[in-house]
Amino acid sequence: MTSRFTELAVDCHDPERLAAFWCEVLDFKVIDRSEGKVEIGSWVPTVEDVRARQMPPTLLFIQVPEGKTVKNRLHLDVSPIDGSTEDEVTRLLGLGATKTDVGQGSDRNWVVMADPEGNEFDVLRTLAPQN
């Protein structure tokens, strides 16, 4: 018996807004939406694909009435693929992210940011080809 990691659910106030932000960050597309929910991903999952092998999970934004109150216990890490980490941080700030301090210190090689609803995520080292 085994399970697959198929989606990561994120509680939020505005699923449409947060899905749009993360679609821009990750170059994902909306693959499903219903009342109070928006699912985004890099592919449209089918039962056959998921059963055959581990596929990239989707992100599911679910509307909830309560707001975020403490630091996330789980967060996403993103790595730029075609520019520097600094350039990606600048792009994400333009999309509505903010830099945030969760006690990481200034000597880290990653940048802690928050999405428009305050969910922390890290921008790691670039994966872009080095000249």
Side-chain angles (χ1 to χ4, degrees):
M1 178 189 279
T2 201
S3 293
R4 298 276 193 244
F5 177 22
T6 56
E7 60 235 356
L8 177 65
V10 179
D11 290 351
C12 60
H13 281 291
D14 188 345
E16 291 289 341
R17 177 177 179 223
L18 218 48
F21 170 82
W22 283 104
C23 278
E24 287 294 321
V25 172
L26 300 171
D27 194 25
F28 278 15
K29 304 291 182 235
V30 172
I31 58 175
D32 192 29
R33 61 172 37 101
S34 59
E35 185 67 31
K37 295 180 188 176
V38 180
E39 186 175 11
I40 67 171
S42 60
W43 66 296
V44 177
T46 67
V47 171
E48 294 77 21
D49 287 336
V50 172
R51 287 182 55 86
R53 64 194 174 284
Q54 182 65 56
M55 302 294 288
T58 61
L59 293 175
L60 177 63
F61 299 96
I62 303 170
Q63 187 174 36
V64 297
E66 67 274 0
K68 182 179 176 302
T69 57
V70 297
K71 177 182 172 285
N72 294 6
R73 299 273 315 246
L74 176 73
H75 67 265
L76 299 178
D77 289 343
V78 299
S79 298
I81 59 168
D82 55 7
S84 70
T85 300
E86 295 78 22
D87 289 343
E88 183 65 355
V89 166
T90 299
R91 183 179 82 89
L92 299 175
L93 289 169
L95 293 175
T98 56
K99 289 185 180 180
T100 191
D101 184 354
V102 294
Q104 70 270 19
S106 60
D107 61 338
R108 302 292 180 230
N109 63 355
W110 67 87
V111 178
V112 180
M113 301 190 80
D115 71 17
E117 289 205 14
N119 300 300
E120 297 92 6
F121 66 98
D122 295 337
V123 181
L124 304 181
R125 71 193 176 289
T126 183
L127 301 177
Q130 302 299 307
N131 297 329

